[in-house]
Amino acid sequence: MPIPDYQTFMRPLLVLLSDGEPRPMPEVYHLLADEFTLSDTDLATMLPSGRQPTYKNRIGWAKTYLLKAGALSSPQRGTVQITARGRDLLLQHPEQISTKMLFAFPEFMAFQGAPPPDGADDRPELSEPALSPEERMAALATELNSALSTELLAQVTQLSPSQFERLVVELLVAMGYGGSVRDAGQALGRSGDNGIDGLVKQDPLGLDRIYLQAKRWQNAVHSPEIRGFSGSLTFHKASKGVFLTTSSFSDGARRTAQQIGNIILIDGETLAQLMIEYGVGVLTRETYHLRRVDSEYFEEL
């Protein structure tokens, strides 16, 4: 069973608090996790940011929405307690409470900034999980990055072989290998280079080098190319190699690289994602800051 969405947590949260006693949020997290029999894997699943467990984030947003609707109160920092309105919600909605139902309360409407569209169905949408705001933002970022990745890879495939070799050297340098492109990156790409397209110095003095092979291909890379690159590394007395391609690697190629042990494979999809992550060939159009309350700040006042 997947981790419930935040709407699914709303009614159980009110039921848990229906005895009228205030409860600390750590206890609420624990009891609701037990009620939904969340597995160790569920409890360890983090948001895309990696900063908070997903189940705690969803329970937290269920609490926030119910607080904003006046169904819960917070008598002390980090505690929650049911209100008379919360009890009424339990009586009126014996199956499930959804965000749309909370628009009946002016406090929640003001919190959201606007009422729901006219004629909106108040019944909870059970077929599609309700994502928390952080999850919606992460999902949107993933969608935008996926589209950007496709567009970026299309641009990369139009480069000349020498331009592509230069790009992959710049990418590895942007990832922190050897400082500046001038000092650390060196595109080889000459006839007689014994299969090495470029190198990146892993340290400023160049005592440890990573050799590159870059293939601007449409077809998949297979095992013979990986074995050939391994032989080139041996010729150069190199201990590490990175094989990059705009296409993909066959299963056999991946097995061969795993058996050899000192070659990293980067396919087209991974290449585009790394370019996005390290800002190579892309521009930042907008920046949004997602902030949260600093509890320690208020404790120290």
Side-chain angles (χ1 to χ4, degrees):
M1 177 182 176
I3 301 172
D5 60 60
Y6 75 86
Q7 288 190 136
T8 304
F9 280 119
M10 284 184 181
R11 195 174 194 284
L13 175 55
L14 289 177
V15 171
L16 175 65
L17 300 170
S18 61
D19 60 4
E21 296 297 321
R23 291 183 184 272
M25 283 306 297
E27 180 182 350
V28 169
Y29 294 138
H30 175 72
L31 292 174
L32 287 179
D34 282 349
E35 179 174 344
F36 284 90
T37 61
L38 298 183
S39 66
D40 290 342
T41 299
D42 294 331
L43 299 178
T45 300
M46 305 293 285
L47 292 175
S49 65
R51 295 184 177 181
Q52 186 183 27
T54 299
Y55 84 99
K56 285 188 176 182
N57 177 264
R58 295 180 181 179
I59 293 173
W61 276 103
K63 176 207 72 172
T64 296
Y65 282 7
L66 291 171
L67 280 170
K68 295 298 182 181
L72 293 178
S73 66
S74 182
Q76 294 180 350
R77 187 179 66 85
T79 66
V80 285
Q81 187 174 26
I82 196 168
T83 65
R85 181 175 289 176
R87 296 183 190 281
D88 290 340
L89 273 174
L90 285 178
L91 292 174
Q92 295 167 9
H93 304 287
E95 294 184 359
Q96 186 171 3
I97 296 171
S98 73
T99 304
K100 291 179 182 179
M101 296 171 186
L102 304 183
F103 278 96
F105 308 114
E107 300 94 331
F108 187 77
M109 192 181 297
F111 166 65
Q112 290 290 317
D118 291 341
D121 185 359
D122 282 346
R123 292 172 298 176
E125 296 290 342
L126 299 179
S127 59
E128 295 184 7
L131 300 179
S132 70
E134 286 99 331
E135 291 176 296
R136 291 201 301 271
M137 184 173 288
L140 180 58
T142 298
E143 181 181 350
L144 292 172
N145 276 342
S146 178
L148 176 59
S149 177
T150 300
E151 182 180 356
L152 193 58
L153 194 55
Q155 291 284 340
V156 171
T157 57
Q158 301 302 312
L159 298 176
S160 68
S162 60
Q163 288 174 323
F164 181 53
E165 292 166 11
R166 174 73 174 178
L167 181 149
V168 297
V169 169
E170 289 187 5
L171 173 61
L172 281 238
V173 170
M175 292 171 67
Y177 293 98
S180 70
V181 173
R182 183 185 64 184
D183 295 334
Q186 178 180 346
L188 302 179
R190 300 184 296 268
S191 59
D193 66 358
N194 294 288
I196 303 298
D197 290 328
L199 65 86
V200 169
K201 300 174 183 178
Q202 198 169 1
D203 61 272
L205 297 178
L207 298 176
D208 195 5
R209 300 182 178 190
I210 299 174
Y211 284 85
L212 315 174
Q213 184 142 101
K215 296 297 184 185
R216 190 177 53 85
W217 284 7
Q218 296 294 328
N219 299 323
V221 176
H222 294 281
S223 296
E225 287 79 24
I226 305 302
R227 288 194 291 269
F229 183 47
S230 177
S232 298
L233 294 180
T234 301
F235 179 87
H236 284 272
K237 297 181 174 61
S239 60
K240 304 171 187 176
V242 179
F243 197 120
L244 304 98
T245 180
T246 52
S247 58
S248 61
F249 295 96
S250 68
D251 291 341
R254 293 188 182 279
R255 285 194 298 270
T256 299
Q258 187 175 15
Q259 290 168 357
I260 293 172
N262 65 339
I263 297 176
I264 299 298
L265 305 182
I266 299 178
D267 60 15
E269 181 179 349
T270 304
L271 173 64
Q273 289 299 323
L274 288 173
M275 290 177 66
I276 293 170
E277 181 177 352
Y278 290 94
V280 176
V282 297
L283 296 173
T284 300
R285 188 172 59 187
E286 297 286 352
T287 301
Y288 299 93
H289 297 280
L290 185 63
R291 304 189 188 276
R292 60 188 303 176
V293 173
D294 183 354
S295 299
E296 293 183 1
Y297 168 82
F298 291 98
E299 290 175 356
E300 294 171 358
L301 286 178

